[in-house]
Amino acid sequence: MQFSTVVGQKKVIESLIQTIKDNRVSHAQLFIEQQGSGALPLAIAYAQYLCCENRSDIDSCGTCPSCLKYQKLEHPDLHCFYPVNTNPRNPKPPVFSKDYTAEWRSFVSKTPYSSLFEWLKSLDIENKQGNISVKESQEIINSLTLKSFESAYKVCIIWMVEKLHPVAANKLLKVLEEPPEKTLFILITQDYEYILPTIISRTQVVQLDRLSNADVAGAIEKHHNIDSSEAMNYAKLCEGDYAHAQEMVHLGYNEEELMDNFREWMLLCFNRNVAGINSWVDETASIGRVRQLNFLKYALASFRKALLLNFVSLDVLPILEHEKAFLAKFTNFVHEGNTMQLINEFDLAIRHIERNVNPKIVIMDLSLKVLQLLIKKVPQGAK
Ligand SMILES: [Zn+2]
């Protein structure tokens, strides 16, 4: 993987390259990202660049023996660890990352931007938690005590380090503090707050930027043969999450359908039609996680647009033709007395669906909250 294949992140790439040029590569780095920002492809591109035998000022060569092995994730000095669990092929614990090496290489080569959920799904364990176990931490330490085979550097990437068992994390403290010479640890996280402070204090933090809509749209246009305005529609809906954007492109989506579904739901909530809400929730719970996320993100964006219509005219906002009539009425029910709560409830529901909480419970709960919030009156003195 080369820097040229990484979406956006130009500033971070420049500063990583500079540390190599200045010979001050920090031996333990913590890449913090929001899902879909590309920390994994960036980490691999960085490691490949570090070990490339013929690197330029801006990228690895892509053709030297080291790069060729890195591109297949087969370099003997690259060690990757990631959350796993038992599956039909490996039914008995303990299971290790190395039990899934072939699956990992294929997954990362095809979809380097994918989510933890998609990784677990590819192993047929989407209903389990993925973990990095205490026994795995010994594997991590062992991999570093081996002398490097071919490169100057041994690289150890731990993906989703927040899934590291606390005992395993404690076992790694010493090696993080005093690693063998010419070793680079890259820890990747999407949940910074779940990482032990003792780990954080031993690493150099590299904060990735959330991808811009232009970055995501450009990448969709390039890789999926989609015209620029449609690519921008996908990007806006995904808010910087390229993993989600790719899932959406793969599934396809119809904005008019989303809008009709949203209108139906809001009418049910507004009319307090609990029986209707019940069957709507049943139906929505059955459409699959990615479609649920698309829908909830669309709904959230619609609330924001409806709120903005309190202050600006229809023509100023990027509202599609078929949304105009509904949003012009709906804006009367979205105001400063309920917007923040509505947005918080939608954010929470989206996080729960992303973390695989039962969709029926999440969406029913959200519907009841929306029902209560929509009938809230505009606060006195407003409007
Ligand atoms: Zn090279």
Side-chain angles (χ1 to χ4, degrees):
M1 223 163 272
Q2 292 179 276
F3 287 130
S4 60
T5 64
V6 173
V7 180
Q9 306 300 350
K10 296 288 172 255
K11 264 196 280 175
V12 178
I13 291 172
E14 271 172 29
S15 86
L16 289 174
I17 289 176
Q18 198 57 44
T19 61
I20 295 177
K21 284 184 184 162
D22 298 346
N23 206 13
R24 52 178 179 86
V25 174
S26 175
H27 65 262
Q29 305 187 26
L30 175 63
F31 285 20
I32 301 175
E33 67 161 351
Q34 285 188 314
Q35 180 173 293
S37 304
L40 180 61
L42 180 65
I44 296 169
Y46 178 39
Q48 177 168 329
Y49 184 76
L50 184 66
C51 299
C52 174
E53 293 156 27
N54 194 20
R55 62 177 176 243
S56 74
D57 273 352
I58 53 168
D59 215 337
S60 51
C61 74
T63 52
C64 71
S66 170
C67 280
L68 292 177
K69 284 177 196 152
Y70 253 98
Q71 268 157 207
K72 293 189 215 150
L73 302 174
E74 286 176 2
H75 200 291
D77 297 323
L78 170 69
H79 304 277
C80 293
F81 299 91
Y82 30 82
V84 291
N85 207 320
T86 52
N87 82 345
R89 202 166 60 70
N90 295 296
K92 281 199 183 137
V95 284
F96 299 97
S97 294
K98 67 182 179 193
D99 296 324
Y100 296 101
T101 301
E103 288 89 338
W104 173 254
R105 286 176 181 162
S106 151
F107 179 80
V108 178
S109 305
K110 282 191 211 138
T111 54
Y113 279 80
S114 219
S115 60
L116 176 61
F117 177 83
E118 291 299 319
W119 162 240
L120 298 177
K121 197 167 135 195
S122 76
L123 303 181
D124 291 324
I125 52 175
E126 66 265 38
N127 295 322
K128 293 184 186 175
Q129 295 288 324
N131 302 304
I132 303 172
S133 67
V134 179
K135 289 197 166 141
E136 184 88 282
S137 62
Q138 193 54 50
E139 292 284 313
I140 297 172
I141 293 166
N142 292 347
S143 74
L144 296 177
T145 49
L146 298 169
K147 213 174 145 36
S148 64
F149 289 95
E150 294 177 9
S151 308
Y153 265 93
K154 256 180 307 191
V155 179
C156 174
I157 295 177
I158 307 180
W159 187 58
M160 306 292 179
V161 69
E162 65 272 17
K163 299 293 176 191
L164 199 61
H165 190 286
V167 176
N170 278 321
K171 285 183 97 164
L172 289 183
L173 292 181
K174 191 167 181 306
V175 74
L176 280 176
E177 194 155 74
E178 291 168 22
E181 222 184 315
K182 296 279 182 190
T183 300
L184 170 62
F185 265 106
I186 306 177
L187 315 182
I188 297 174
T189 184
Q190 292 177 353
D191 264 323
Y192 180 76
E193 62 268 36
Y194 289 108
I195 300 179
L196 293 180
T198 43
I199 293 265
I200 296 170
S201 67
R202 284 166 174 80
T203 57
Q204 163 115 23
V205 168
V206 177
Q207 177 75 54
L208 272 71
D209 298 322
R210 189 185 194 136
L211 295 178
S212 67
N213 286 346
D215 284 337
V216 173
I220 294 173
E221 199 182 335
K222 185 169 154 198
H223 294 293
H224 298 276
N225 200 16
I226 282 176
D227 75 43
S228 56
S229 69
E230 200 187 343
M232 186 49 90
N233 280 344
Y234 279 112
K236 281 181 184 163
L237 221 48
C238 296
E239 299 180 326
D241 180 346
Y242 185 48
H244 185 222
Q246 286 186 309
E247 287 169 10
M248 279 182 67
V249 172
H250 178 64
L251 274 175
Y253 87 111
N254 177 328
E255 209 159 316
E256 226 157 303
E257 238 171 60
L258 289 173
M259 155 80 200
D260 288 345
N261 199 15
F262 178 62
R263 182 172 49 201
E264 182 192 344
W265 186 32
M266 289 303 103
L267 284 173
L268 290 168
C269 291
F270 192 72
N271 293 323
R272 302 195 194 192
N273 180 347
V274 176
I277 290 175
N278 240 324
S279 47
W280 185 90
V281 169
D282 278 346
E283 165 119 19
T284 308
S286 70
I287 61 175
R289 182 178 155 279
V290 175
R291 285 183 202 277
Q292 285 154 6
L293 284 174
N294 289 348
F295 176 71
L296 291 176
K297 289 182 180 181
Y298 175 84
L300 183 55
S302 298
F303 274 113
R304 289 201 178 111
K305 285 182 198 167
L307 177 71
L308 284 173
L309 283 179
N310 284 314
F311 309 104
V312 296
S313 84
L314 270 173
D315 308 321
V316 181
L317 290 177
I319 292 176
L320 302 174
E321 211 44 49
H322 65 268
E323 294 177 317
K324 283 186 178 171
F326 173 68
L327 286 178
K329 286 189 208 153
F330 190 55
T331 184
N332 295 314
F333 302 99
V334 181
H335 46 76
E336 61 191 84
N338 60 11
T339 314
M340 275 322 292
Q341 282 167 285
L342 281 165
I343 288 174
N344 289 342
E345 293 298 340
F346 272 82
D347 275 337
L348 185 67
I350 288 168
R351 280 212 304 279
H352 281 157
I353 298 282
E354 279 171 349
R355 281 164 178 67
N356 220 14
V357 178
N358 183 327
K360 206 164 160 176
I361 295 172
V362 174
I363 297 166
M364 190 63 192
D365 190 46
L366 180 63
S367 303
L368 297 176
K369 297 265 171 51
V370 171
L371 182 153
Q372 289 163 0
L373 289 169
L374 273 188
I375 55 173
K376 261 193 146 180
K377 295 270 184 293
V378 185
Q380 292 252 316
K383 280 203 170 174

